[in-house]
Amino acid sequence: MTSGSIAALCWLVVLGSCDSEQPVSHAPEIDRLTIGYSALRISLPIFVAQERRIFREHGLEVELRRYETAQPLVEEVLDGRVLAGGFAALPIIFTAAARGDSEVRLGLAMIEDAEHPVSYLLRRSGDASLDSVAALRGRRVGILPTIAYQRWLEAIVREAGVDPSEVVIVPVAPPHQTATLEGGGVDALFTNDPVATATIAAGVGERVGPPAPVPSATHEPLVFGSFLVHPRLLAERPDLVRRLLAALDDAAALIESDQEGARRAMTSYVRASERPFVSRYPDARYLQSAHFGDAELAGAVRSMVELGVLDRGRDVTGWTLHAEAPR
């Protein structure tokens, strides 16, 4: 081959492809997705995945849509107005799904146990007469105004040998709980964050009884909540769902290894009035998707039925999602 032919061939390399074995580099494809979140501690894996750019590492450009509480978030995922979101308490998910006989897919789970409390039983600070759960007999107890907290409180006092009818249960909206306890409207509160930690930090309340009263009463960890995916997103974009779950799994692993850093990642997502107390939140525990399957979800449903949180069971076969093989 002449030198002129070699030069011509090199120009072909520039203009086209002279070496078919040489790899061609492409920028990684980025998928965009809107994810709803409740502005509460339960949504911690979402906050960590966004702040630490874990979603981006899995090829996702995520826009977060804020909901002040989990109820409207769950309703919009079930309706398909937002295709993924969380985290939300299981009683909220299943109560909403039962109304329209809707289905949803769930991935990961927030777990409550003695080392990772979610709900708190608080007495008014300095009230030494209320020194145990059994001392709630004849007392007024303020609760989050949900059937779950009512049934859970009944289980807690029953385990302590108190008939639930001997306790006056008073539903109190979260914004009024601290003031109601301080003013004597109730003798105790059964609630969760952000109210619980803020009430303790303000010197109004202090814990009474075991650190995680529901798991203590039922003698097993409580599957508190999960992340929701609409079935349409799974059907249309299974690979996207796989990467979404993988990102949340990575966030859950990071939470376990760096609880303090995870709390810092939460700060900008909660309400401004709650940010000073974020560092005081307890450690959180999440089951990654590989460890939260249909059997674990079915067990949680049975427990909710036994406690009266749900009025009937439900077949949840195929409801849970795994990062490696969403279905």
Side-chain angles (χ1 to χ4, degrees):
M1 182 179 291
T2 67
S3 59
S5 299
I6 294 173
L9 183 58
C10 288
W11 275 109
L12 288 175
V13 172
V14 175
L15 297 173
S17 177
C18 74
D19 187 352
S20 60
E21 296 183 1
Q22 186 174 3
V24 179
S25 62
H26 296 285
E29 181 180 353
I30 299 294
D31 287 310
R32 288 171 171 77
L33 178 67
T34 298
I35 294 177
Y37 74 91
S38 54
L40 303 169
R41 179 164 70 96
I42 190 174
S43 299
L44 183 57
I46 297 174
F47 308 149
V48 170
Q50 187 77 335
E51 288 298 298
R52 299 293 181 89
R53 297 181 62 82
I54 298 174
F55 286 132
R56 187 79 181 187
E57 291 172 5
H58 288 272
L60 298 174
E61 184 70 40
V62 168
E63 176 186 345
L64 295 182
R65 181 178 298 175
R66 179 188 179 100
Y67 296 80
E68 293 304 312
T69 62
Q71 184 70 47
L73 165 61
V74 170
E75 297 285 357
E76 294 205 4
V77 174
L78 291 178
D79 292 346
R81 284 174 280 175
V82 61
L83 297 181
F87 282 55
L90 288 189
I92 295 175
I93 295 171
F94 278 90
T95 300
R99 285 198 292 269
D101 200 29
S102 304
E103 287 195 5
V104 70
R105 299 295 178 260
L106 302 175
L108 292 80
M110 186 186 201
I111 302 296
E112 180 178 21
D113 56 28
E115 290 74 37
H116 307 90
V118 176
S119 300
Y120 307 66
L121 184 61
L122 304 177
R123 68 182 182 185
R124 192 161 42 254
S125 292
D127 183 2
S129 67
L130 212 171
D131 58 355
S132 66
V133 175
L136 290 175
R137 182 181 283 108
R139 304 293 190 105
R140 293 167 58 85
V141 182
I143 65 167
L144 284 172
T146 69
I147 189 66
Y149 272 83
Q150 178 179 339
R151 299 297 184 233
W152 285 338
L153 180 62
E154 291 170 355
I156 292 166
V157 299
R158 192 180 293 115
E159 176 67 13
V162 177
D163 190 303
S165 66
E166 297 179 272
V167 176
V168 180
I169 297 176
V170 183
V172 183
H176 308 298
Q177 288 186 341
T178 303
T180 301
L181 179 64
E182 184 175 30
V186 296
D187 302 296
L189 278 178
F190 178 46
T191 188
N192 63 17
D193 284 322
V195 171
T197 295
T199 301
I200 294 171
V204 173
E206 55 193 16
R207 290 188 183 185
V208 61
V214 181
S216 177
T218 61
H219 307 288
E220 60 182 0
L222 176 68
V223 181
F224 191 85
S226 188
F227 182 84
L228 300 85
V229 174
H230 192 279
R232 187 169 81 243
L233 180 64
L234 182 63
E236 295 175 355
R237 301 297 306 276
D239 181 65
L240 185 153
V241 172
R242 180 191 63 78
R243 287 181 282 125
L244 170 59
L245 292 172
L248 292 173
D249 281 346
D250 287 352
L254 194 153
I255 291 167
E256 185 174 352
S257 65
D258 184 10
Q259 295 279 353
E260 184 177 348
R263 282 188 282 269
R264 287 196 300 269
M266 186 193 328
T267 305
S268 63
Y269 295 94
V270 299
R271 302 175 188 94
S273 61
E274 297 155 11
R275 291 171 189 166
F277 311 119
V278 165
S279 63
R280 302 181 60 156
Y281 286 168
D283 290 351
R285 178 188 172 198
Y286 291 85
L287 291 184
Q288 297 180 32
S289 64
H291 305 294
F292 180 58
D294 288 357
E296 289 75 19
L297 181 59
V301 171
R302 284 194 299 273
S303 178
M304 287 189 286
V305 172
E306 290 169 1
L307 293 175
V309 174
L310 299 179
D311 58 7
R312 62 183 177 88
R314 182 157 188 173
D315 182 6
V316 294
T317 303
W319 276 40
T320 57
L321 299 174
H322 191 294
E324 294 303 317
R327 56 189 184 276

